[in-house]
């Protein structure tokens, strides 16, 4: 099993499509064998699903995620645990012990809009995800 967590400074990053790093965990017999922080090299939104597939990831833990990215993960047979916040390592341990609190219906349907210099992002209300701009 290979788990990828959207990652920023030890925490589960809340915007899947804007993730610059993932912490990837190799798991055998329900235990973490190795972990490493991997850069997405600028990949965003749908390209991240291919990046994860190329890295043989089968499970993703993230904060928010948009519908397009959810579909891309599904098409790559990657299981999604969204709506997660807090420490990345603790989230993986919780998943492995079947105690992870997640939202199976998490989506971000909002978009960033720019009007007269004002920008709306989904971060302010916690949906996170791959908001488009």
């Amino acid at each position: 099993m290979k788990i990828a967590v959207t990652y920023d400074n030890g925490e589960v990053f809340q915007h899947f499509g804007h993730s610059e790093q993932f912490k990837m965990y190799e798991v055998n017999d329900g235990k973490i064998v190795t972990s490493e922080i991997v850069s997405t090299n600028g990949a965003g939104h749908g390209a991240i699903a291919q990046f994860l597939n190329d890295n043989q990831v089968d499970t993703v833990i993230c904060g928010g995620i948009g519908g397009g990215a959810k579909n891309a993960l599904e098409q790559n047979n990657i299981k999604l645990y969204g709506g997660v916040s807090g420490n990345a390592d603790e989230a993986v341990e919780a998943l492995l012990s079947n105690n992870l609190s997640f939202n199976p219906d998490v989506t971000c349907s909002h978009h960033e809009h720019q009007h007269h210099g004002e920008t709306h992002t989904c971060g302010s209300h916690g949906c996170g995800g791959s908001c488009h701009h």
Side-chain angles (χ1 to χ4, degrees), residues 68-83:
K70 277 178 79 168
N71 290 340
L73 291 178
E74 192 174 292
Q75 289 170 359
N76 284 287
N77 296 312
I78 298 172
K79 187 156 180 56
L80 171 67
Y81 295 90

Side-chain angles (χ1 to χ4, degrees), residues 13-90:
F13 187 63
Q14 294 302 298
H15 299 262
F16 177 88
H18 295 200
S19 286
E20 294 179 8
Q21 296 179 321
F22 281 83
K23 189 162 184 183
M24 297 196 184
Y25 302 80
E26 286 279 351
V27 176
N28 283 326
D29 296 324
K31 293 186 170 66
I32 297 170
V33 179
T34 62
S35 66
E36 66 177 326
I37 298 168
V38 179
S39 170
T40 61
N41 297 317
H45 297 109
I48 291 179
Q50 186 60 51
F51 165 81
L52 295 171
N53 194 42
D54 291 346
N55 281 279
Q56 292 89 43
V57 169
D58 52 49
T59 304
V60 166
I61 297 173
C62 68
I65 186 168
K70 277 178 79 168
N71 290 340
L73 291 178
E74 192 174 292
Q75 289 170 359
N76 284 287
N77 296 312
I78 298 172
K79 187 156 180 56
L80 171 67
Y81 295 90
V84 178
S85 60
N87 181 278
D89 293 344
E90 290 173 8

